[in-house]
Amino acid sequence: MSDSARTVIADEFIRGLHIATLGVTTAVLCVWFLPIAVATPDAYSSPVLEYGSLTVLVVLLALAAGMVWRERPWGRLRWPLVIVALVATVLATAAVRPEQMILPPHWSWKVFGWFAVLLLMDLPLGWFFGALALQQAISLVQVLAAGQGDKSTLVEMGVTSLLVASWQGAVAVAAVSLEQSAAVARETAAEEERIRLSERVAEQVHGDRQNRYIDLSATTTPLLEGIAEGLLDPADPQVRRRCSVEAARMRRLFAESDEVADPLSHEISACIDVAERQGTSVQASVRGTLPELPLPARRALTEPVIPVLAGARSRARLTVVARDDQVTLSVVVDGALDTLPEETDTDGPVQISRLISGDQLWLDVTWQPAANTS
């Protein structure tokens, strides 16, 4: 069984436990205690206070039923509801005549625990037992204050309290255990999902790298084989330029896997580094704030620039201009080499233009989202 399935099952058990506790509380209050209270008005020194407290508990129960039915958490209402239930039961006990303290009309000291279970079952057990102990202690003080502190009364109240509290405590323990199991299942499921996501990302990155290595092998491998077999002369300027181009592509490939705040600038720096190692003086600048570009867009921007930088005779100036709807990469080099077609390419993901003036080559590569590309 998967962790997500266990999470769903645990959540359903908790919801079922809420409904069952609500049902038990409703039955105890409305089916058992309410008829007794209505049938024995003479058992109370203040029937108005008794029935008023009973009405408050019924209203509170109706409110709790609505929240359980809609599966809403208690939130900020939790503790006000607990206090209302506690105060109502204490006032109801205060309205009981002394001689009725251990008789059925004194129902209020038995019902609070069910409200405590219902309202506190998703908290640590200490909160439930603390609230229950507080209510039982207040009830004991009320019984003693009413002059009913004889041994038989106290023993009977103690046994009854123990039985009722045991039943309520068992439900509270079960609820907390289920809540903890659900929490563990949720954390495990979330961790497994994070692991699966990282694995999918790693597989995607690995696939991208493999594809890129395949692309490089189509140009790098023949170059290396030609040099190794003596078919290409390393002293030939054209061969050296091809080596610089392939080296820049490989450096860019390595830079693509780095975690940096500005991937495009990082990858451009990798391309520039190869040109500078060949003795070319490169000046670079960025204007505007670069947007987050996808990897294909960054490759499309830098690919035409690599052979231009590799063909520079001694100096190059590179400028990145960022606007809201496009990014332009401009490079000016000395030594105007035929590195691009004469016609401007506007069919791909970038628009490429060049201008030759004397021995200088000016190249512009512009990328913009597909929605804005015409």
Side-chain angles (χ1 to χ4, degrees), residues 6-7 28 58 66 92-93 105 127 130 146 154 159 169 176 186 188 192 220 231 234 284 286 320-321 329 344 356 369:
R6 284 195 291 268
T7 300
V28 169
V58 172
T93 296
W127 291 105
L154 294 179
V159 172
V176 171
R186 292 188 197 99
T188 304
E192 288 197 351
T220 304
L231 300 178
V286 178
V320 183
V321 180
L329 184 57
T344 299
I356 297 177

PDB file of all heavy atoms in Angstrom, residues 6-7 28 58 66 92-93 105 127 130 146 154 159 169 176 186 188 192 220 231 234 284 286 320-321 329 344 356 369:
ATOM      1  N   ARG A   6      -2.201   5.311   2.462  1.00  0.00           N
ATOM      2  CA  ARG A   6      -2.274   5.269   3.925  1.00  0.00           C
ATOM      3  C   ARG A   6      -2.704   6.621   4.481  1.00  0.00           C
ATOM      4  O   ARG A   6      -3.434   6.689   5.474  1.00  0.00           O
ATOM      5  CB  ARG A   6      -0.907   4.855   4.492  1.00  0.00           C
ATOM      6  CG  ARG A   6      -0.612   3.372   4.349  1.00  0.00           C
ATOM      7  CD  ARG A   6       0.554   2.975   5.234  1.00  0.00           C
ATOM      8  NE  ARG A   6       1.791   3.548   4.745  1.00  0.00           N
ATOM      9  CZ  ARG A   6       2.604   2.939   3.901  1.00  0.00           C
ATOM     10  NH1 ARG A   6       2.301   1.745   3.429  1.00  0.00           N
ATOM     11  NH2 ARG A   6       3.724   3.512   3.505  1.00  0.00           N
ATOM     12  N   THR A   7      -2.244   7.690   3.853  1.00  0.00           N
ATOM     13  CA  THR A   7      -2.647   9.021   4.298  1.00  0.00           C
ATOM     14  C   THR A   7      -4.145   9.214   4.154  1.00  0.00           C
ATOM     15  O   THR A   7      -4.813   9.728   5.057  1.00  0.00           O
ATOM     16  CB  THR A   7      -1.898  10.090   3.485  1.00  0.00           C
ATOM     17  OG1 THR A   7      -0.496   9.923   3.684  1.00  0.00           O
ATOM     18  CG2 THR A   7      -2.301  11.484   3.936  1.00  0.00           C
ATOM     19  N   VAL A  28     -25.455  11.219  24.225  1.00  0.00           N
ATOM     20  CA  VAL A  28     -25.361  11.358  25.679  1.00  0.00           C
ATOM     21  C   VAL A  28     -26.100  12.601  26.151  1.00  0.00           C
ATOM     22  O   VAL A  28     -26.847  12.570  27.152  1.00  0.00           O
ATOM     23  CB  VAL A  28     -23.878  11.407  26.107  1.00  0.00           C
ATOM     24  CG1 VAL A  28     -23.746  11.819  27.566  1.00  0.00           C
ATOM     25  CG2 VAL A  28     -23.221  10.043  25.889  1.00  0.00           C
ATOM     26  N   VAL A  58     -26.306  22.496  23.927  1.00  0.00           N
ATOM     27  CA  VAL A  58     -26.953  22.005  22.707  1.00  0.00           C
ATOM     28  C   VAL A  58     -26.566  22.886  21.514  1.00  0.00           C
ATOM     29  O   VAL A  58     -26.271  22.383  20.420  1.00  0.00           O
ATOM     30  CB  VAL A  58     -28.488  21.958  22.888  1.00  0.00           C
ATOM     31  CG1 VAL A  58     -29.168  21.644  21.557  1.00  0.00           C
ATOM     32  CG2 VAL A  58     -28.869  20.913  23.940  1.00  0.00           C
ATOM     33  N   GLY A  66     -21.869  21.266  12.628  1.00  0.00           N
ATOM     34  CA  GLY A  66     -21.710  21.927  11.341  1.00  0.00           C
ATOM     35  C   GLY A  66     -20.260  21.957  10.884  1.00  0.00           C
ATOM     36  O   GLY A  66     -19.961  21.734   9.694  1.00  0.00           O
ATOM     37  N   ALA A  92     -24.238  24.453  35.388  1.00  0.00           N
ATOM     38  CA  ALA A  92     -25.299  23.458  35.531  1.00  0.00           C
ATOM     39  C   ALA A  92     -25.158  22.696  36.840  1.00  0.00           C
ATOM     40  O   ALA A  92     -26.159  22.390  37.521  1.00  0.00           O
ATOM     41  CB  ALA A  92     -25.268  22.501  34.340  1.00  0.00           C
ATOM     42  N   THR A  93     -23.930  22.373  37.226  1.00  0.00           N
ATOM     43  CA  THR A  93     -23.710  21.698  38.511  1.00  0.00           C
ATOM     44  C   THR A  93     -24.094  22.608  39.681  1.00  0.00           C
ATOM     45  O   THR A  93     -24.652  22.146  40.688  1.00  0.00           O
ATOM     46  CB  THR A  93     -22.237  21.273  38.635  1.00  0.00           C
ATOM     47  OG1 THR A  93     -21.944  20.315  37.629  1.00  0.00           O
ATOM     48  CG2 THR A  93     -21.961  20.662  40.010  1.00  0.00           C
ATOM     49  N   PRO A 105     -30.222  13.486  38.036  1.00  0.00           N
ATOM     50  CA  PRO A 105     -30.342  14.896  37.623  1.00  0.00           C
ATOM     51  C   PRO A 105     -29.010  15.651  37.558  1.00  0.00           C
ATOM     52  O   PRO A 105     -28.920  16.677  36.880  1.00  0.00           O
ATOM     53  CB  PRO A 105     -31.273  15.481  38.685  1.00  0.00           C
ATOM     54  CG  PRO A 105     -32.108  14.326  39.125  1.00  0.00           C
ATOM     55  CD  PRO A 105     -31.168  13.165  39.125  1.00  0.00           C
ATOM     56  N   TRP A 127      -3.431  18.038  26.676  1.00  0.00           N
ATOM     57  CA  TRP A 127      -4.475  19.061  26.672  1.00  0.00           C
ATOM     58  C   TRP A 127      -5.822  18.465  27.080  1.00  0.00           C
ATOM     59  O   TRP A 127      -6.567  19.057  27.864  1.00  0.00           O
ATOM     60  CB  TRP A 127      -4.591  19.707  25.292  1.00  0.00           C
ATOM     61  CG  TRP A 127      -3.425  20.555  24.934  1.00  0.00           C
ATOM     62  CD1 TRP A 127      -2.421  20.263  24.057  1.00  0.00           C
ATOM     63  CD2 TRP A 127      -3.115  21.842  25.467  1.00  0.00           C
ATOM     64  NE1 TRP A 127      -1.503  21.285  23.999  1.00  0.00           N
ATOM     65  CE2 TRP A 127      -1.911  22.274  24.857  1.00  0.00           C
ATOM     66  CE3 TRP A 127      -3.737  22.685  26.391  1.00  0.00           C
ATOM     67  CZ2 TRP A 127      -1.330  23.501  25.145  1.00  0.00           C
ATOM     68  CZ3 TRP A 127      -3.144  23.910  26.676  1.00  0.00           C
ATOM     69  CH2 TRP A 127      -1.959  24.312  26.064  1.00  0.00           C
ATOM     70  N   GLY A 130      -5.665  17.380  30.781  1.00  0.00           N
ATOM     71  CA  GLY A 130      -5.610  18.569  31.618  1.00  0.00           C
ATOM     72  C   GLY A 130      -6.964  19.241  31.750  1.00  0.00           C
ATOM     73  O   GLY A 130      -7.383  19.633  32.859  1.00  0.00           O
ATOM     74  N   ALA A 146     -21.227  21.855  48.624  1.00  0.00           N
ATOM     75  CA  ALA A 146     -22.649  21.603  48.856  1.00  0.00           C
ATOM     76  C   ALA A 146     -22.882  20.744  50.088  1.00  0.00           C
ATOM     77  O   ALA A 146     -24.030  20.385  50.389  1.00  0.00           O
ATOM     78  CB  ALA A 146     -23.261  20.940  47.622  1.00  0.00           C
ATOM     79  N   LEU A 154     -18.411  10.312  47.842  1.00  0.00           N
ATOM     80  CA  LEU A 154     -17.141  10.510  47.146  1.00  0.00           C
ATOM     81  C   LEU A 154     -16.699   9.250  46.421  1.00  0.00           C
ATOM     82  O   LEU A 154     -16.174   9.311  45.303  1.00  0.00           O
ATOM     83  CB  LEU A 154     -16.066  10.943  48.142  1.00  0.00           C
ATOM     84  CG  LEU A 154     -16.276  12.320  48.801  1.00  0.00           C
ATOM     85  CD1 LEU A 154     -15.145  12.623  49.781  1.00  0.00           C
ATOM     86  CD2 LEU A 154     -16.372  13.411  47.742  1.00  0.00           C
ATOM     87  N   VAL A 159     -15.825   6.400  41.334  1.00  0.00           N
ATOM     88  CA  VAL A 159     -15.963   5.246  40.444  1.00  0.00           C
ATOM     89  C   VAL A 159     -16.615   5.659  39.133  1.00  0.00           C
ATOM     90  O   VAL A 159     -16.180   5.281  38.032  1.00  0.00           O
ATOM     91  CB  VAL A 159     -16.772   4.137  41.143  1.00  0.00           C
ATOM     92  CG1 VAL A 159     -17.086   3.016  40.154  1.00  0.00           C
ATOM     93  CG2 VAL A 159     -16.003   3.592  42.333  1.00  0.00           C
ATOM     94  N   GLY A 169     -11.195   8.827  27.591  1.00  0.00           N
ATOM     95  CA  GLY A 169      -9.754   8.828  27.373  1.00  0.00           C
ATOM     96  C   GLY A 169      -9.335   7.844  26.295  1.00  0.00           C
ATOM     97  O   GLY A 169      -8.411   8.119  25.521  1.00  0.00           O
ATOM     98  N   VAL A 176      -5.570  10.601  18.886  1.00  0.00           N
ATOM     99  CA  VAL A 176      -4.211  11.123  18.807  1.00  0.00           C
ATOM    100  C   VAL A 176      -3.298  10.151  18.058  1.00  0.00           C
ATOM    101  O   VAL A 176      -2.452  10.554  17.248  1.00  0.00           O
ATOM    102  CB  VAL A 176      -3.670  11.410  20.219  1.00  0.00           C
ATOM    103  CG1 VAL A 176      -2.181  11.742  20.166  1.00  0.00           C
ATOM    104  CG2 VAL A 176      -4.435  12.559  20.853  1.00  0.00           C
ATOM    105  N   ARG A 186       1.773  11.492   5.918  1.00  0.00           N
ATOM    106  CA  ARG A 186       1.864  12.683   5.069  1.00  0.00           C
ATOM    107  C   ARG A 186       3.323  13.079   4.846  1.00  0.00           C
ATOM    108  O   ARG A 186       3.728  13.410   3.726  1.00  0.00           O
ATOM    109  CB  ARG A 186       1.109  13.844   5.718  1.00  0.00           C
ATOM    110  CG  ARG A 186      -0.396  13.669   5.785  1.00  0.00           C
ATOM    111  CD  ARG A 186      -1.070  14.952   6.253  1.00  0.00           C
ATOM    112  NE  ARG A 186      -2.433  14.705   6.694  1.00  0.00           N
ATOM    113  CZ  ARG A 186      -2.801  14.554   7.953  1.00  0.00           C
ATOM    114  NH1 ARG A 186      -1.897  14.643   8.909  1.00  0.00           N
ATOM    115  NH2 ARG A 186      -4.056  14.325   8.263  1.00  0.00           N
ATOM    116  N   THR A 188       5.996  11.178   5.063  1.00  0.00           N
ATOM    117  CA  THR A 188       6.671  10.178   4.245  1.00  0.00           C
ATOM    118  C   THR A 188       6.277  10.330   2.782  1.00  0.00           C
ATOM    119  O   THR A 188       7.122  10.246   1.882  1.00  0.00           O
ATOM    120  CB  THR A 188       6.319   8.766   4.739  1.00  0.00           C
ATOM    121  OG1 THR A 188       6.659   8.646   6.120  1.00  0.00           O
ATOM    122  CG2 THR A 188       7.068   7.712   3.950  1.00  0.00           C
ATOM    123  N   GLU A 192       8.785  11.215  -0.228  1.00  0.00           N
ATOM    124  CA  GLU A 192       8.902  10.369  -1.406  1.00  0.00           C
ATOM    125  C   GLU A 192       8.595  11.150  -2.677  1.00  0.00           C
ATOM    126  O   GLU A 192       9.227  10.939  -3.713  1.00  0.00           O
ATOM    127  CB  GLU A 192       7.974   9.150  -1.290  1.00  0.00           C
ATOM    128  CG  GLU A 192       8.428   8.127  -0.279  1.00  0.00           C
ATOM    129  CD  GLU A 192       7.747   6.789  -0.480  1.00  0.00           C
ATOM    130  OE1 GLU A 192       6.807   6.723  -1.288  1.00  0.00           O
ATOM    131  OE2 GLU A 192       8.176   5.816   0.166  1.00  0.00           O
ATOM    132  N   THR A 220      32.827  17.766 -32.545  1.00  0.00           N
ATOM    133  CA  THR A 220      34.083  17.629 -31.808  1.00  0.00           C
ATOM    134  C   THR A 220      34.829  16.354 -32.192  1.00  0.00           C
ATOM    135  O   THR A 220      36.048  16.372 -32.396  1.00  0.00           O
ATOM    136  CB  THR A 220      33.804  17.632 -30.293  1.00  0.00           C
ATOM    137  OG1 THR A 220      33.093  18.806 -29.948  1.00  0.00           O
ATOM    138  CG2 THR A 220      35.099  17.578 -29.509  1.00  0.00           C
ATOM    139  N   LEU A 231      45.191  14.244 -40.394  1.00  0.00           N
ATOM    140  CA  LEU A 231      44.485  14.850 -41.514  1.00  0.00           C
ATOM    141  C   LEU A 231      44.316  16.355 -41.324  1.00  0.00           C
ATOM    142  O   LEU A 231      44.109  17.092 -42.307  1.00  0.00           O
ATOM    143  CB  LEU A 231      43.112  14.192 -41.680  1.00  0.00           C
ATOM    144  CG  LEU A 231      43.136  12.676 -41.946  1.00  0.00           C
ATOM    145  CD1 LEU A 231      41.700  12.149 -42.033  1.00  0.00           C
ATOM    146  CD2 LEU A 231      43.901  12.371 -43.235  1.00  0.00           C
ATOM    147  N   PRO A 234      47.234  21.064 -36.491  1.00  0.00           N
ATOM    148  CA  PRO A 234      46.937  21.944 -35.359  1.00  0.00           C
ATOM    149  C   PRO A 234      47.485  23.360 -35.537  1.00  0.00           C
ATOM    150  O   PRO A 234      47.011  24.290 -34.899  1.00  0.00           O
ATOM    151  CB  PRO A 234      47.602  21.241 -34.172  1.00  0.00           C
ATOM    152  CG  PRO A 234      47.729  19.817 -34.596  1.00  0.00           C
ATOM    153  CD  PRO A 234      47.954  19.846 -36.082  1.00  0.00           C
ATOM    154  N   ALA A 284      32.791  43.123 -21.831  1.00  0.00           N
ATOM    155  CA  ALA A 284      31.409  42.663 -21.754  1.00  0.00           C
ATOM    156  C   ALA A 284      30.617  43.567 -20.827  1.00  0.00           C
ATOM    157  O   ALA A 284      31.134  44.067 -19.829  1.00  0.00           O
ATOM    158  CB  ALA A 284      31.343  41.223 -21.253  1.00  0.00           C
ATOM    159  N   VAL A 286      26.222  44.353 -19.439  1.00  0.00           N
ATOM    160  CA  VAL A 286      24.812  43.957 -19.440  1.00  0.00           C
ATOM    161  C   VAL A 286      23.978  45.187 -19.148  1.00  0.00           C
ATOM    162  O   VAL A 286      24.261  45.928 -18.195  1.00  0.00           O
ATOM    163  CB  VAL A 286      24.536  42.860 -18.385  1.00  0.00           C
ATOM    164  CG1 VAL A 286      23.051  42.502 -18.367  1.00  0.00           C
ATOM    165  CG2 VAL A 286      25.369  41.627 -18.651  1.00  0.00           C
ATOM    166  N   VAL A 320      24.928  42.689 -23.705  1.00  0.00           N
ATOM    167  CA  VAL A 320      23.623  42.042 -23.543  1.00  0.00           C
ATOM    168  C   VAL A 320      22.621  43.129 -23.172  1.00  0.00           C
ATOM    169  O   VAL A 320      22.805  43.836 -22.171  1.00  0.00           O
ATOM    170  CB  VAL A 320      23.647  40.952 -22.457  1.00  0.00           C
ATOM    171  CG1 VAL A 320      22.286  40.251 -22.381  1.00  0.00           C
ATOM    172  CG2 VAL A 320      24.745  39.940 -22.730  1.00  0.00           C
ATOM    173  N   VAL A 321      21.563  43.263 -23.982  1.00  0.00           N
ATOM    174  CA  VAL A 321      20.527  44.261 -23.746  1.00  0.00           C
ATOM    175  C   VAL A 321      19.227  43.518 -23.443  1.00  0.00           C
ATOM    176  O   VAL A 321      18.739  42.752 -24.280  1.00  0.00           O
ATOM    177  CB  VAL A 321      20.344  45.202 -24.950  1.00  0.00           C
ATOM    178  CG1 VAL A 321      19.251  46.228 -24.655  1.00  0.00           C
ATOM    179  CG2 VAL A 321      21.666  45.896 -25.281  1.00  0.00           C
ATOM    180  N   LEU A 329      21.778  39.959 -27.865  1.00  0.00           N
ATOM    181  CA  LEU A 329      23.196  39.734 -27.596  1.00  0.00           C
ATOM    182  C   LEU A 329      23.969  40.287 -28.783  1.00  0.00           C
ATOM    183  O   LEU A 329      23.836  39.784 -29.913  1.00  0.00           O
ATOM    184  CB  LEU A 329      23.464  38.241 -27.400  1.00  0.00           C
ATOM    185  CG  LEU A 329      24.868  37.812 -27.016  1.00  0.00           C
ATOM    186  CD1 LEU A 329      25.312  38.497 -25.738  1.00  0.00           C
ATOM    187  CD2 LEU A 329      24.923  36.304 -26.836  1.00  0.00           C
ATOM    188  N   THR A 344      19.739  37.432 -43.240  1.00  0.00           N
ATOM    189  CA  THR A 344      19.323  37.412 -41.845  1.00  0.00           C
ATOM    190  C   THR A 344      18.388  36.252 -41.617  1.00  0.00           C
ATOM    191  O   THR A 344      17.401  36.078 -42.347  1.00  0.00           O
ATOM    192  CB  THR A 344      18.619  38.720 -41.484  1.00  0.00           C
ATOM    193  OG1 THR A 344      19.543  39.778 -41.679  1.00  0.00           O
ATOM    194  CG2 THR A 344      18.155  38.692 -40.039  1.00  0.00           C
ATOM    195  N   ILE A 356      29.190  44.113 -41.650  1.00  0.00           N
ATOM    196  CA  ILE A 356      30.637  44.105 -41.818  1.00  0.00           C
ATOM    197  C   ILE A 356      31.077  45.495 -42.242  1.00  0.00           C
ATOM    198  O   ILE A 356      30.560  46.056 -43.224  1.00  0.00           O
ATOM    199  CB  ILE A 356      31.078  43.063 -42.860  1.00  0.00           C
ATOM    200  CG1 ILE A 356      30.697  41.659 -42.388  1.00  0.00           C
ATOM    201  CG2 ILE A 356      32.578  43.148 -43.111  1.00  0.00           C
ATOM    202  CD1 ILE A 356      31.035  40.571 -43.387  1.00  0.00           C
ATOM    203  N   PRO A 369       9.989  35.901 -26.863  1.00  0.00           N
ATOM    204  CA  PRO A 369       9.020  34.795 -26.725  1.00  0.00           C
ATOM    205  C   PRO A 369       8.298  34.542 -28.036  1.00  0.00           C
ATOM    206  O   PRO A 369       8.098  35.445 -28.853  1.00  0.00           O
ATOM    207  CB  PRO A 369       8.062  35.294 -25.642  1.00  0.00           C
ATOM    208  CG  PRO A 369       8.867  36.278 -24.862  1.00  0.00           C
ATOM    209  CD  PRO A 369       9.782  36.938 -25.844  1.00  0.00           C
TER     210      PRO A 369
END
